[in-house]
Every structure is written in C-alpha cells, then in structure tokens.
Amino acid sequence: MGCGFGVYRSLWLSRSFSAIGTIDSVSEVVDQQNSGINYAPTFTFSAADGKEYTVTSGVASNPPDFEVGEHVRVRYLPNHPKSAEIDSFWQLWLVSVVCGGLGAVFTTAGYLLFRYERRRFPTSFEPTHSF
C-alpha cells in the first residue's frame, strides 16, 4: 500500500503546478476517537487560470504546522485546483510514509516468524515413497 500511494503521489506531483498561497485560518478537527484535537490549515492561492481557490488541507496536526498569514508553496492539478495541497513533506507524503512503515514492520515480523518456524520444524523435501 505504501508503495502504491508513493507511486500515485509521484505521478500526481509530476502533473501538478506550483503556486504561492497564504494560510487563512487553522481549524480545529476532532479525531474520530474523540481523543484529541488537531489543526488543519485552510489556504488560498491563485491558479494559472487567474481564479482564487480556498482549500482546507486533509492533513491535520497538533501542534499546528502553519500560522495564519504564513505564505506556503502549493501544488495543484490544473484541471482540478480544489485538489491543491501544501507543498511540504508531511502534507504530501504522510499516507505513503505511514503505510510503508507499517508494511515494513509487519513484513519483517512475518518473515522472522517464518524463519523461526522453519528452524524449529524443519521439513524434508525428499519423497516419502518411490514409484
């Protein structure tokens, strides 16, 4: 999954345009388990078509990563400017890093368990009967 999200993000970035945006607000976002509050930035930027767009980021953090009035680099698809994202490592690559990290941990654990079982219960590949 992590590799898939990484490839998708790379393709998205290769087709995206860059612009400068401004953080308009930082909204409180309550997570699904009600265990805490995170902060999602809302930013405005001008696209190549000359129109201004306002977008709320899909990545929230605590403490907030951005301050109101801060200028940020924005990436967007020209045919879908509402899909814009702030051009920072965590805003762009968070899903790939989390999925890739979890995949690496579980793959390593599975491999180590497999090796342990193979050593503990060796199997013979020689035929048990002849024809």
Side-chain angles (χ1 to χ4, degrees):
M1 291 288 292
C3 290
F5 282 120
V7 168
Y8 171 79
R9 178 58 66 191
S10 296
L11 293 171
W12 188 88
L13 285 170
S14 70
R15 296 185 348 242
S16 68
F17 284 30
S18 181
I20 299 296
T22 305
I23 303 294
D24 295 328
S25 65
V26 178
S27 309
E28 290 184 356
V29 178
V30 179
D31 67 10
Q32 294 176 351
Q33 292 85 17
N34 289 327
S35 61
I37 295 175
N38 292 314
Y39 301 92
T42 299
F43 57 93
T44 302
F45 70 99
S46 294
D49 63 7
K51 296 180 184 176
E52 271 200 356
Y53 295 92
T54 301
V55 179
T56 299
S57 174
V59 178
S61 63
N62 189 359
D65 287 335
F66 303 97
E67 295 180 12
V68 174
E70 182 178 348
H71 294 288
V72 292
R73 182 166 304 283
V74 174
R75 303 293 298 190
Y76 69 95
L77 296 176
N79 58 344
H80 197 265
K82 284 287 197 178
S83 70
E85 297 192 32
I86 296 172
D87 190 0
S88 74
F89 179 80
W90 290 114
Q91 292 283 316
L92 294 174
W93 297 100
L94 177 67
V95 174
S96 298
V97 169
V98 169
C99 288
L102 288 172
V105 167
F106 286 113
T107 299
T108 302
Y111 175 75
L112 292 174
L113 285 171
F114 172 76
R115 296 287 296 166
Y116 173 76
E117 289 296 317
R118 291 286 301 219
R119 281 189 169 171
R120 191 167 170 215
F121 304 107
T123 59
S124 174
F125 291 106
E126 296 179 22
T128 55
H129 36 252
S130 58
F131 296 99

